[in-house]
Amino acid sequence: MKQMKSDLKAYDPVNTFFALGSADLRKARDQRSYLALTLTDKSGQITGYVWDNPEEVAERRIGVKYVHVQGMSKRHNSTMIISIASVRPAGDEEIDVNDFLEVVPGGVDLWMDRLHDHIDLIKDVNCKSIVDAFLADCRFFEDFKMSPAGMTVHH
């Protein structure tokens, strides 16, 4: 079972999967390099820090969407972080994409009902037939229901 970001408490061991966002190679005050990783799941976002071999880890993460992280959760300036002992790319068979998709308040079914109610208000016959054609495609409709909106910036 996936360990969710929202369930982490200070000094919990971490052994779970996250979607990988940004990875920034930085310098500490003592000029030692470290890697800051933005990690997310459906419960939120957390920053993980790699202190051992950060350059090597940064190179291995190119093109990686999901990672397996082991380490320890900690509080730093009242913010929860993960001190990462090891991180590796996750295999497709290890990932359940539903662990990473936020669910809209009220649930997907509520919003699908609201969408259908609004579609029923379309007066233009051509527009309505185009929308109906999209929603009649079962595969498209299932993918549409599970697709996120803007992940970081929504215009």
Side-chain angles (χ1 to χ4, degrees):
M1 185 165 140
K2 179 172 170 0
Q3 202 176 6
M4 291 294 169
K5 179 264 175 194
S6 60
D7 295 331
L8 294 177
K9 297 185 180 25
Y11 302 105
D12 280 348
V14 176
N15 184 9
T16 195
F17 297 93
F18 286 103
L20 179 61
S22 64
D24 298 318
L25 201 52
R26 301 176 183 169
K27 292 274 187 192
R29 288 186 190 131
D30 63 3
Q31 296 305 305
R32 192 169 59 143
S33 294
Y34 69 95
L35 184 65
L37 300 176
T38 303
L39 306 167
T40 58
D41 62 24
K42 70 180 179 182
S43 71
Q45 179 175 299
I46 191 167
T47 302
Y49 296 95
V50 178
W51 291 95
D52 296 330
N53 303 315
E55 293 90 354
E56 180 184 322
V57 173
E59 287 178 25
R60 282 187 284 143
R61 73 130 205 112
I62 295 172
V64 173
K65 292 181 182 178
Y66 299 99
V67 291
H68 179 259
V69 172
Q70 289 183 305
M72 181 72 64
S73 60
K74 297 181 178 183
R75 283 222 175 266
H76 179 71
N77 295 333
S78 74
T79 302
M80 189 68 69
I81 65 167
I82 300 173
S83 179
I84 298 174
S86 70
V87 59
R88 66 168 174 78
D92 291 342
E93 69 283 354
E94 296 177 291
I95 297 301
D96 179 354
V97 72
N98 293 314
D99 289 336
F100 305 95
L101 298 176
E102 288 184 61
V103 177
V104 67
V108 173
D109 291 336
L110 168 75
W111 291 94
M112 287 299 105
D113 289 343
R114 290 189 67 189
L115 174 66
H116 286 291
D117 291 344
H118 282 82
I119 291 169
D120 291 340
L121 299 175
I122 298 173
K123 301 288 186 221
D124 185 281
V125 176
N126 293 322
C127 288
K128 180 134 175 46
S129 66
I130 290 171
V131 172
D132 287 341
F134 278 114
L135 300 183
D137 181 336
C138 292
R139 182 180 169 127
F140 169 82
F141 190 64
E142 288 305 311
D143 288 345
F144 174 75
K145 284 187 346 183
M146 299 310 295
S147 295
M151 295 295 288
T152 55
V153 178
H154 189 78
H155 296 286

